[in-house]
Amino acid sequence: MGLSADEEDPTSPKEEEWPEVEKAEKLARGAALKWASGIFYRPEHLEGLGLYRIRELQRNSSIQSRIKSTVQSYLEGMSLGLEQLRSALAEVRHVRQALESARQELASSAESFQKLRPLREVALEHTQLGSVHRALPRLFSVHKLLSESFDLLQRRHLLEAHEGLMELEGLQDSILAQLHDHSLLSPSCLASVQSYFGGLQELNEALAQHLWHLVAHGIQLMLEDPALFVSAVRIVEREEGIDSTLLQRSRESGFLPPGRPKGWRQKFFQVIQDTIVAAHFQTAPSEAQGRPISRHLASLQSSILAELCLVKDLMVQCCPSHYRILSAFTDMYHQGLARHLHHILAQDLDKQEIFAVLQWVLRVYPSAEMMAHPSLLPEVDISALGLLLPADTVDYLEDTYVVKVQASVAEWMQKILEMEFDEWFSETEPESDYQGCFQTSLPIIVMKMLDENIRVASLISDTLVQKVHSMAQVELEAFLGSASISALCPEGPSPSEPRKMPSSLNAALEKAQKKACRLLLDAMLEELQPLFAQLPSRQWLSDPQIMCKICEVIDPHAKAFCRARKPFSTYLLSDAEHLVMSQYVKALLQKKIVCRNAQERNQTGRRMLQDASQLRELFCSLGLEESDQSLKVIVDLQELISLKDPAMLGLEVLGFVTKYPDVSDDHISMLLEVRGDVSKEIRNNVLEIMVQNPQVLPENHQPVFSNILVPAPELPYCLGKPKCA
């Protein structure tokens, strides 16, 4: 304080704590100097210096007065705060002195408190004795109350009997809780209390037995005495409330009476579920005196629907809303049915039983005939229940059903085919249609049977229809391959829109048709072969009876062919004509005879012309146009045989080969052998001409010689086996 402004300590707290003060002071001094220099720079401004001094003095005085007022208010506040601190300090000292005095007095009174302990124990004992005294009348009435409760129970006064049970249980629980609170609940003490209340457990069990009996017969009680069922529900709810209260108290005290919680509400629903299982799902249909599955499922349908209607109309009104009793029954029936069906499916079911299960599960159960019945709507929502059988189980059942149906269809088709075979080979002529064609009802029967299987499958699902349709197609293809069938595909929705046959069935049908025609032709060939074996021969040259016999064999077969529907009748007739021609040419080229002279060659030629004419007339009379016949081959062959000048054979053979490009040199060689007058040189020339003029088979060429086999020519002039080899 003795230092001047220039001599102040530079490390004083003022400068360290408030460096802004020095900065502000410097700025103020600078501003004042700047202002003063501006004033004194011009002489004309010096006149107002007095006024400026007065104004500044007034300003400084105002500032000083405000500062003094502010400082004064701060000082007054600090003075008040200090005064309050002094007062608080005095009070603290007073309290501390009082606490010390009390501590000293408490220490001096410790022995007196020890003397009061027996009094406290006596007071506690007095309280307990008071509680016992108040409970004595109730304790003395325990056995009487038990007897009365049993009597009420026997007379089916369930609510009154349950009130007695609750009073007895409440008294026992109160005694046990007090013993627990005073840490006196030893095992022996617990056994003593339970012994005194010995009949209480028996009463509880008897009441529970009556209760669950009523719950199990709840559906029947809805019609006979709903009040009994309502009493049972009220008792269940009472016990549920007691359980809730005791559980809440046990969280606070740590004591829960023995036998609690009873959980009678859960037991209520368990008894209902057990009753449903025992009544409907205990016995599989195969064990129930041979009752069919369809009848068993129909019985389940009617009984379950009737019970659900009773629950919806009556039982819902007898139960609290939070029971959701209709939903509970619906879920129980649904789950029970699901387990029951799995038990049924564990057996080896036939196709009718599998169909019955699938139809019931997929069609009946979710329909208006059962779970979507108008009497159950809208409370029962079938969509919320889920599938009665998983999708993979349904798919497996459909596949199993298709397999069993396929085996049955295959067996049935085999039997009906055998019956059809026997009928066609019986002495009775087959039926004819209005056109005179032989017909059989077999295609219609087969198609009706397959259509019926598909129709039955449509009663289940679209997927089963597709599976049965595919199975029917497979079996139909197999059937076509084993029978002579002409038409098995019915028309579609209208004649203008025929049903498109699958390509596989078209192929199988075409194969069956060709096989049937082949069988008919083979039957004719079997009769003709002994006759063609006599061609050519010396007897044949002079006797026309052989060809007459051949025509006699052909005629009935060809007329039978004409009884078939077009185009198969034409196809059979054309093939029969071609078969006769090929057998005739084949017999001719076997070189059974060799013409010895020109006369025999002429005779052979005339016989061939007569045979060709006779066969041509026969097939023309049967309806085969001459332009569609191949018998002209016989005429052309006879020209080669009856040709007088062998030197002309080259040109004739060239024309023949051009006309029949599938003829081989083996065929020509054998034909030349039959002539009997062709030298080796001419034969070689003829064969050379064939080599020099190779023929190309035109498109759609009907083969003539390619299917005719001739014996291998003998090697002439063989001088020894080693050389020939």
Side-chain angles (χ1 to χ4, degrees):
M1 293 175 60
L3 296 175
S4 63
D6 296 333
E7 295 175 346
E8 270 187 317
D9 186 0
T11 61
S12 65
K14 181 178 179 181
E15 293 182 358
E16 290 180 358
E17 296 180 2
W18 306 98
E20 292 84 358
V21 175
E22 182 180 358
K23 182 178 179 180
E25 185 177 358
K26 290 180 179 180
L27 291 174
R29 289 178 182 275
L33 289 174
K34 184 177 180 181
W35 178 85
S37 63
I39 291 296
F40 295 109
Y41 181 74
R42 294 181 180 182
E44 63 269 16
H45 289 170
L46 294 177
E47 296 177 357
L49 184 60
L51 294 175
Y52 173 74
R53 181 180 297 170
I54 294 171
R55 187 169 61 251
E56 288 298 320
L57 288 174
Q58 292 175 351
R59 181 180 178 188
N60 288 338
S61 175
S62 175
I63 291 173
Q64 288 177 1
S65 64
R66 286 199 299 253
I67 291 174
K68 288 179 181 180
S69 176
T70 302
V71 171
Q72 184 64 31
S73 64
Y74 281 141
L75 290 175
E76 289 176 358
M78 292 179 64
S79 176
L80 179 61
L82 290 173
E83 185 64 28
Q84 290 176 349
L85 287 174
R86 292 190 192 98
S87 176
L89 180 60
E91 290 179 0
V92 169
R93 287 173 180 173
H94 177 71
V95 171
R96 185 172 64 181
Q97 290 174 359
L99 288 175
E100 182 64 23
S101 176
R103 187 183 64 79
Q104 292 175 359
E105 291 179 3
L106 183 62
S108 63
S109 304
E111 295 181 359
S112 300
F113 289 148
Q114 292 294 331
K115 294 178 182 179
L116 291 176
R117 183 182 296 274
L119 181 61
R120 185 177 62 183
E121 294 176 355
V122 170
L124 179 61
E125 184 177 358
H126 181 268
T127 303
Q128 293 175 351
L129 289 174
S131 300
V132 172
H133 177 73
R134 290 191 297 271
L136 280 177
R138 298 173 62 194
L139 288 173
F140 289 148
S141 65
V142 166
H143 298 289
K144 180 182 178 181
L145 190 56
L146 277 171
S147 177
E148 291 176 352
S149 300
F150 273 113
D151 183 60
L152 290 170
L153 187 60
Q154 292 297 327
R155 289 186 287 127
R156 304 189 76 176
H157 294 173
L158 299 182
L159 291 175
E160 293 83 352
H162 185 251
E163 289 177 356
L165 175 65
M166 289 192 297
E167 184 177 355
L168 290 170
E169 287 182 338
L171 179 59
Q172 176 183 262
D173 294 345
S174 176
I175 294 173
L176 293 176
Q178 293 181 29
L179 292 174
H180 176 270
D181 293 341
H182 296 91
S183 303
L184 299 175
L185 191 59
S186 62
S188 59
C189 185
L190 176 61
S192 299
V193 173
Q194 290 179 338
S195 176
Y196 185 78
F197 290 88
L200 183 59
Q201 182 63 27
E202 182 181 353
L203 176 62
N204 181 74
E205 293 176 355
L207 177 62
Q209 184 177 359
H210 278 74
L211 194 66
W212 306 139
H213 177 77
L214 293 176
V215 173
H217 294 79
I219 299 294
Q220 184 179 353
L221 288 176
M222 291 298 102
L223 299 174
E224 298 176 356
D225 191 0
L228 281 176
F229 185 81
V230 174
S231 298
V233 173
R234 291 180 62 186
I235 292 172
V236 169
E237 284 303 292
R238 284 178 180 177
E239 289 293 338
E240 199 68 19
I242 296 173
D243 282 347
S244 178
T245 302
L246 292 177
L247 284 172
Q248 184 176 358
R249 290 178 181 175
S250 68
R251 298 187 188 99
E252 302 172 356
S253 63
F255 171 73
L256 185 65
R260 291 289 181 177
K262 292 184 180 180
W264 277 12
R265 185 188 293 170
Q266 182 179 357
K267 180 67 175 177
F268 172 86
F269 289 103
Q270 185 62 46
V271 169
I272 293 178
Q273 183 173 0
D274 294 342
T275 303
I276 289 175
V277 172
H280 302 290
F281 311 128
Q282 195 68 35
T283 306
S286 61
E287 302 171 3
Q289 300 178 356
R291 182 169 58 171
I293 287 180
S294 58
R295 289 179 55 193
H296 175 69
L297 295 177
S299 175
L300 287 178
Q301 174 187 351
S302 60
S303 60
I304 291 175
L305 178 59
E307 292 182 8
L308 283 176
C309 290
L310 283 176
V311 172
K312 176 180 177 292
D313 297 336
L314 300 177
M315 189 176 287
V316 169
Q317 305 174 20
C318 300
C319 298
S321 58
H322 62 271
Y323 271 40
R324 301 180 69 248
I325 193 67
L326 180 58
S327 297
F329 265 86
T330 304
D331 291 339
M332 291 176 189
Y333 281 122
H334 186 80
Q335 300 300 327
L337 277 171
R339 290 189 293 269
H340 186 58
L341 287 173
H342 280 290
H343 180 66
I344 292 176
L345 296 178
Q347 308 174 35
D348 185 16
L349 304 180
D350 58 26
K351 66 177 186 298
Q352 287 84 3
E353 293 172 332
I354 295 176
F355 174 82
V357 172
L358 285 172
Q359 185 187 33
W360 198 85
V361 169
L362 300 178
R363 296 294 186 180
V364 176
Y365 182 74
S367 70
E369 299 178 10
M370 192 172 177
M371 299 305 288
H373 195 275
S375 300
L376 300 179
L377 298 177
E379 286 80 359
V380 175
D381 184 7
I382 185 62
S383 62
L385 296 175
L387 298 175
L388 198 56
L389 289 179
D392 55 346
T393 302
V394 173
D395 188 63
Y396 170 77
L397 283 177
E398 290 181 348
D399 291 342
T400 305
Y401 174 78
V402 172
V403 169
K404 292 181 178 291
V405 170
Q406 184 172 10
S408 177
V409 168
E411 182 181 0
W412 180 87
M413 284 186 170
Q414 182 62 32
K415 289 182 179 179
I416 197 172
L417 186 60
E418 293 174 357
M419 294 172 58
E420 186 75 8
F421 182 84
D422 294 338
E423 289 181 5
W424 275 82
F425 282 90
S426 63
E427 296 180 356
T428 305
E429 185 176 280
E431 297 180 359
S432 301
D433 61 6
Y434 69 96
Q435 296 177 342
C437 299
F438 289 139
Q439 68 174 6
T440 174
S441 58
L442 179 62
I444 299 175
I445 296 174
V446 171
M447 289 307 303
K448 283 185 177 180
M449 186 272 297
L450 295 177
D451 284 341
E452 179 64 19
N453 278 281
I454 295 174
R455 186 195 65 80
V456 170
S458 67
L459 300 176
I460 304 298
S461 66
D462 294 336
T463 57
L464 185 60
V465 170
Q466 294 298 325
K467 293 177 181 179
V468 173
H469 190 275
S470 299
M471 177 276 296
Q473 181 176 332
V474 171
E475 287 302 314
L476 189 56
E477 291 177 14
F479 185 70
L480 290 174
S482 61
S484 300
I485 307 299
S486 61
L488 282 178
C489 186
E491 291 184 348
S494 64
S496 60
E497 298 179 359
R499 184 184 303 171
K500 185 178 180 181
M501 183 181 293
S503 57
S504 57
L505 278 183
N506 269 326
L509 181 59
E510 184 178 357
K511 182 179 179 181
Q513 293 166 348
K514 290 183 177 180
K515 181 178 179 181
C517 294
R518 187 71 256 173
L519 290 174
L520 294 174
L521 293 173
D522 288 345
M524 183 184 72
L525 178 61
E526 186 177 359
E527 295 185 33
L528 289 175
Q529 281 179 338
L531 297 175
F532 278 115
Q534 302 177 28
L535 299 181
S537 62
R538 303 297 175 187
Q539 180 184 0
W540 165 72
L541 289 175
S542 58
D543 188 1
Q545 292 300 318
I546 297 178
M547 181 52 61
C548 292
K549 292 180 180 179
I550 291 176
C551 291
E552 290 175 358
V553 172
I554 295 173
D555 184 64
H557 283 279
K559 288 181 178 179
F561 297 161
C562 295
R563 302 290 294 273
R565 296 180 183 274
K566 291 184 178 181
F568 301 108
S569 59
T570 305
Y571 173 79
L572 284 170
L573 199 59
S574 177
D575 274 20
E577 186 268 343
H578 191 79
L579 176 65
V580 171
M581 178 274 299
S582 61
Q583 291 297 317
Y584 189 96
V585 174
K586 180 180 179 181
L588 183 66
L589 297 181
Q590 297 301 311
K591 206 181 73 171
K592 295 178 182 178
I593 63 171
V594 177
C595 296
R596 294 174 290 190
N597 48 49
Q599 183 180 357
E600 286 190 357
R601 286 191 290 274
N602 290 332
Q603 189 178 2
T604 301
R606 287 193 302 271
R607 174 53 57 199
M608 291 174 65
L609 285 175
Q610 293 173 2
D611 291 346
S613 176
Q614 189 173 356
L615 291 172
R616 182 171 55 253
E617 291 176 0
L618 172 63
F619 283 104
C620 285
S621 66
L622 294 172
L624 186 64
E625 297 293 336
E626 184 176 352
S627 59
D628 297 329
Q629 298 180 17
S630 59
L631 294 171
K632 195 172 186 306
V633 177
I634 302 176
V635 177
D636 294 335
L637 285 174
Q638 71 83 25
E639 291 180 357
L640 293 178
I641 293 176
S642 60
L643 184 65
K644 295 181 179 181
D645 187 2
M648 298 297 294
L649 281 173
L651 294 176
E652 292 293 334
V653 168
L654 181 59
F656 188 86
V657 170
T658 304
K659 194 173 184 179
Y660 304 101
D662 63 331
V663 69
S664 66
D665 52 356
D666 290 336
H667 294 108
I668 297 300
S669 296
M670 194 58 63
L671 185 63
L672 297 178
E673 290 288 337
V674 173
R675 279 184 60 92
D677 65 340
V678 180
S679 64
K680 180 179 179 182
E681 181 180 358
I682 293 176
R683 180 168 53 249
N684 290 339
N685 290 336
V686 170
L687 297 178
E688 183 65 24
I689 291 173
M690 291 181 65
V691 172
Q692 293 175 359
N693 297 274
Q695 302 298 315
V696 178
L697 293 177
E699 294 183 2
N700 302 323
H701 173 73
Q702 185 176 8
V704 176
F705 290 92
S706 56
N707 295 328
I708 299 176
L709 300 179
V710 296
E714 296 181 0
L715 295 176
Y717 311 113
C718 185
L719 299 178
K721 290 184 179 180
K723 184 176 180 181
C724 291

